[in-house]
């Protein structure tokens, strides 16, 4: 089973895919998380990706595709979060899956108006140590700028600054949004209203995955 979560930065892909991957026992493959980990560890991939991630641009396809291909094993169910992000990556994904005799089961679009996405991004904060996500309005840490979970420093992601977040939303609209039509044409796209409360979004996506699993049996 392969499920792709699609949506603008700030639409809640990361939050939802962590919950859903745990619920269904899928492997959560999040390219943004992988890049941030590689950057923190200063690996060759991290060093190459750093300037792109920090400025809100897409990392070149060859780097991303090689990284994803190296992490996808036969016989494993995946929840893809942040990949594919443009049409070329979508075609490359099909090529990665073909020898494993896998196809994409569902693509779920987390739909959110641009203004709301920008507000969520610029008010988001994360723990520098364990990556727990906070929001200055809706979920501030209990102690000022200290993570509730691990006590680490709660900071703004460099690419969540107003200017870079706006740039990421433009990149999304130009390059990633065309995937909606692409997967609609393949009749595997489903849409969820991402402005709902997180629990309701989880339920809506879970209903889609349940239906897809029922078809497979
Ligand atoms: P968001 O979806 O909130 O923008 P992510 O954590 O998914 O954040 O991605 C952060 C950054 O990592 C992107 O802005 C981009 O630079 C890089 N990145 C992640 N996935 C990809 C991808 N599939 N192709 C190219 N760049 C990517
Ligand atoms: Zn923490």
């Amino acid at each position: 089973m392969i499920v792709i979560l699609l949506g603008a930065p700030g639409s809640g892909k990361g939050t939802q895919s962590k919950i859903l991957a745990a619920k269904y026992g899928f492997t959560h493959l999040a390219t943004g998380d992988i890049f941030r980990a590689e950057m923190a560890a200063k690996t060759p991939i991290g060093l190459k990706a750093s300037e792109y991630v920090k400025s809100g641009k897409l990392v070149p396809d060859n780097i991303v595709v090689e990284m994803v291909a190296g992490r996808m094993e036969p016989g494993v169910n995946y929840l893809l979060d942040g990949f594919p992000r443009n049409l070329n990556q979508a075609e490359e994904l099909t090529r990665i899956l073909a020898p494993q005799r896998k196809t994409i089961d569902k693509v779920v679009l987390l739909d959110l108006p641009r203004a709301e996405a920008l507000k969520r991004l610029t008010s988001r904060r994360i723990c520098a140590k364990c990556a727990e996500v906070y929001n200055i309005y809706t979920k501030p840490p209990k102690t000022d700028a200290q993570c509730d979970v691990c006590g680490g420093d709660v900071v703004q992601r460099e690419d969540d600054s107003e200017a870079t977040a706006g740039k990421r939303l433009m990149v999304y609209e130009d390059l990633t949004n065309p995937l909606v039509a692409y997967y609609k044409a393949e009749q595997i796209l489903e849409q969820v209203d991402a402005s709902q409360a997180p629990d309701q979004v989880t339920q809506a996506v879970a209903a889609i995955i349940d239906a897809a699993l029922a078809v497979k049996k």
Side-chain angles (χ1 to χ4, degrees):
M1 183 99 175
I2 307 280
V3 175
I4 298 174
L5 276 198
L6 209 60
S11 61
K13 291 189 306 289
T15 309
Q16 294 298 334
S17 42
K18 269 179 214 121
I19 297 169
L20 291 159
K23 175 174 160 72
Y24 290 98
F26 290 7
T27 297
H28 176 209
L29 212 164
T31 43
D33 287 352
I34 298 170
F35 282 131
R36 280 184 290 278
E38 301 270 354
M39 282 160 58
K42 297 196 163 56
T43 65
I45 282 192
L47 294 173
K48 272 190 234 165
S50 167
E51 55 169 313
Y52 299 98
V53 174
K54 285 183 180 163
S55 63
K57 293 185 194 141
L58 293 191
V59 177
D61 288 350
N62 59 333
I63 299 177
V64 186
V65 170
E66 196 187 314
M67 193 177 85
V68 171
R71 281 178 163 81
M72 291 194 81
E73 296 162 32
V76 177
N77 297 324
Y78 289 97
L79 193 56
L80 298 182
D81 162 9
F83 181 89
R85 231 177 176 93
N86 59 28
L87 287 168
N88 178 54
Q89 291 182 13
E91 282 158 10
E92 290 290 342
L93 175 60
T94 306
R95 261 193 286 276
I96 294 170
L97 296 176
Q100 305 187 4
R101 298 183 177 283
K102 278 188 193 157
T103 53
I104 300 158
D105 296 277
K106 281 289 171 205
V107 179
V108 183
L109 171 65
L110 298 184
D111 194 33
L112 190 70
R114 188 201 158 98
E116 180 62 22
L118 186 62
K119 193 173 137 204
R120 285 191 191 175
L121 291 173
T122 53
S123 57
R124 173 164 69 182
R125 300 291 182 272
I126 58 160
C127 172
K129 218 164 138 191
C130 77
E132 179 74 7
V133 180
Y134 297 91
N135 181 292
I136 52 174
Y137 304 118
T138 57
K139 195 196 163 195
K142 290 195 183 77
T143 324
D144 193 35
Q146 301 263 281
C147 178
D148 299 347
V149 179
C150 79
D153 289 339
V154 174
V155 298
Q156 184 171 46
R157 242 168 73 175
E158 207 166 329
D159 60 348
D160 280 346
S161 69
E162 181 119 20
T164 309
K167 163 98 187 151
R168 282 156 61 209
L169 284 166
M170 270 165 55
V171 168
Y172 174 78
E173 269 149 34
D174 290 348
L175 300 176
T176 311
N177 203 42
L179 293 179
V180 172
Y182 178 87
Y183 288 123
K184 232 182 218 166
E186 296 198 359
Q187 302 187 327
I188 50 176
L189 188 92
E190 305 275 353
Q191 192 160 322
V192 166
D193 174 6
S195 66
Q196 302 176 90
D199 284 357
Q200 285 175 298
V201 176
T202 306
Q203 276 181 34
V205 181
I208 293 166
I209 297 177
D210 286 338
L213 284 168
V215 169
K216 285 226 137 177
K217 273 183 200 147

